[in-house]
Amino acid sequence: MTLENTLVKESKNEAEELESVSEKPLENDVREKRPKTPPLPKGTQTLEHQVAGHRHGKSKTKLGFLQNTDGTVLKAIQSPPRGMRELQFYQNVFDENQTNSALISLRQFMPKYLGTYSSPELPNVMYLVMEKVTQPFAEPCVCDLKMGARTHDPEATPAKIAREKAKYPFLENVGFQFQGYSVYDQVKKKYDIYDKKFGRSLTEVEVLTKGFAAFFDNGYGIRVDAVKAMIKKLEEIEKWFMSPSGLCFYASSLLLVYDGERTSTGKTDEEVSDGIDYIKETDCACTPEVAGCVNHCQLAMDLECPVAVKMIDFAHVFPASGLDENYLTGLRSLIAYLHRVLEL
Ligand SMILES: Nc1ncnc2c1ncn2[C@@H]1O[C@H](COP(=O)(O)OP(=O)(O)O)[C@@H](O)[C@H]1O
Ligand SMILES: [Mg+2]
C-alpha cells in the first residue's frame, strides 16, 4: 500500500474551519457519513497540553494528536498534499545522509523526528512520530504562535487567500497570531486555556497585555526568567533565518514552553525550601563543608530557566530563493514583544 492511499481524506478546508463545525447531531443527517471517533491505539492517549490544531475525536476526520507512554507524540498525517509535505519535510531534515548544513542545523529547532506509525487498530491511518516537546516539564505552559503575516502558500487559490486574510485583522502589523495557549496559575493550581478565537480578537496592544503578559504570569507575577530564556532561543532561530535556506515556512508555528511549576528563580517551591542543596556540589568549586557558600546562590541565579522553543507544523513549507522575510518579520516582531514584556 502506498503512503498516499493510507492518508486521511479531508475536505479542502483547513483544520481550523473543520474544527468549528458543530458536534451536535444534525437533523436528517449527513453526519452519519462522518467518521466516528476511532479507538485509541494501544498504549496511547490523546495529547496532553495540546493548545491548537487537529484533536483526536474533535477534528472532522476525528483524527489528531496522540501521545505514547514512551514520551513520544503521534500526529495523524493529513490529506494530500499537506500531510505528505510535512512528513517528507521531517524525513528530509532528519535524513541521516543529509549533507545540507542549513537543514542539519535546523534540527535543533524542531521536535526530533522518530519515524511513522500505523496501529493494528487503525491500519489505514499513518502517524508521524516525534519527540514530545512538553515532556521534560512538570506543569508545561504552552503557546502556539503561527508565524508570518502571510499564511497562504504559493499554491493557494484566490478564495483560500481571501479566507486567510479575513481571519485576523491585525496580522499585517503583528506579524504572527496566537493559535492558543495554556498557562499554569500557581496560586489557583490550575491551567487557564485560551484558543485561536481568543488569539484573533487581540489588538496589537492586547497581544502584549492579554497575550504575552498573561502567558508568562504564574499568578504571582511575570516569569522574567522564562521570557529571557525564550528571547535567547528565538535569537538563535532568527540567526538561522538570516542565511538563505532555500525554504519558506508558510503557516508554520513556534511552540513556546516553560515550566509553570517553577518560580522566577527557576526553582520549584520545594527546591526553594531545600535552599542551596538545589545546586549540585559539582556545579560549584567549593567543598560541601563550606556551608552557605555564596557561589551556590550565585549559581542558582545564573542557571538558565529551562524552556523549549520549537518550530512545528510544516504542512506549507515551500522551496524559495532568498530569505524568508515573511517569517523573519514575524519573528522579529515576536522578539520585540518579549522585550516589551520585560519592561512591564
Ligand atoms: N512535538 C510536540 N510536542 C508537544 N506538543 C505538540 C507537538 N507537536 C504539536 N504539539 C501540540 O499540537 C498542537 C498542534 O500542532 P500542529 O503541528 O500545529 O498541528 P496542526 O497541523 O493540526 O495545526 C500544538 O499547538 C501543540 O500544542
Ligand atoms: Mg498548527
Side-chain angles (χ1 to χ4, degrees), residues 37-47 56-57 62 65-67 117 119 121-122 127:
T37 299
L40 290 168
K42 219 171 172 192
T44 70
Q45 60 182 86
T46 53
L47 177 61
H56 182 89
K62 306 290 184 201
F65 281 84
L66 302 174
Q67 66 181 35
Y117 173 75
S119 70
E121 295 91 335
L122 297 170
Y127 288 91

Side-chain angles (χ1 to χ4, degrees), residues 261-332:
E261 201 197 51
R262 290 181 173 257
T263 66
S264 60
T265 59
K267 303 180 215 173
T268 62
D269 288 341
E270 214 172 284
E271 286 162 348
V272 169
S273 63
D274 284 351
I276 61 169
D277 292 345
Y278 169 58
I279 305 298
K280 288 189 231 90
E281 284 148 24
T282 48
D283 291 337
C284 181
C286 79
T287 58
E289 296 82 56
V290 186
C293 164
V294 286
N295 284 342
H296 277 117
C297 305
Q298 193 52 49
L299 271 165
M301 304 288 283
D302 292 346
L303 274 188
E304 195 149 285
C305 169
V307 297
V309 176
K310 295 285 178 185
M311 294 169 65
I312 57 161
D313 207 345
F314 304 105
H316 303 275
V317 176
F318 277 73
S321 56
L323 298 179
D324 187 346
E325 296 289 354
N326 179 50
Y327 198 106
L328 253 180
T329 305
L331 192 52
R332 287 179 175 149

Side-chain angles (χ1 to χ4, degrees), residues 47 49-54 65 73 75 111 130-133 144 255 312-313:
L47 177 61
H49 307 294
Q50 181 178 347
V51 297
H54 293 75
F65 281 84
V73 164
K75 178 175 182 175
M130 59 183 142
E131 165 197 4
K132 186 174 159 196
V133 177
D144 179 325
L255 200 60
I312 57 161
D313 207 345

Side-chain angles (χ1 to χ4, degrees), residues 14-16 19 47-55 63-65 72-76 78 82 86 90 110-112 130-135 142-146 179-180 251-255 257 310-315:
E14 290 292 295
E16 323 193 330
E19 287 189 6
L47 177 61
E48 282 179 311
H49 307 294
Q50 181 178 347
V51 297
H54 293 75
R55 291 171 204 269
L63 295 165
F65 281 84
T72 58
V73 164
L74 308 177
K75 178 175 182 175
Q78 303 303 314
R82 290 183 293 156
E86 176 162 47
Y90 268 102
M110 295 170 61
K112 194 162 191 257
M130 59 183 142
E131 165 197 4
K132 186 174 159 196
V133 177
T134 48
Q135 183 72 4
V142 183
C143 178
D144 179 325
L145 300 171
K146 192 187 273 194
Q179 293 295 99
S252 181
S253 280
L254 273 172
L255 200 60
V257 189
K310 295 285 178 185
M311 294 169 65
I312 57 161
D313 207 345
F314 304 105

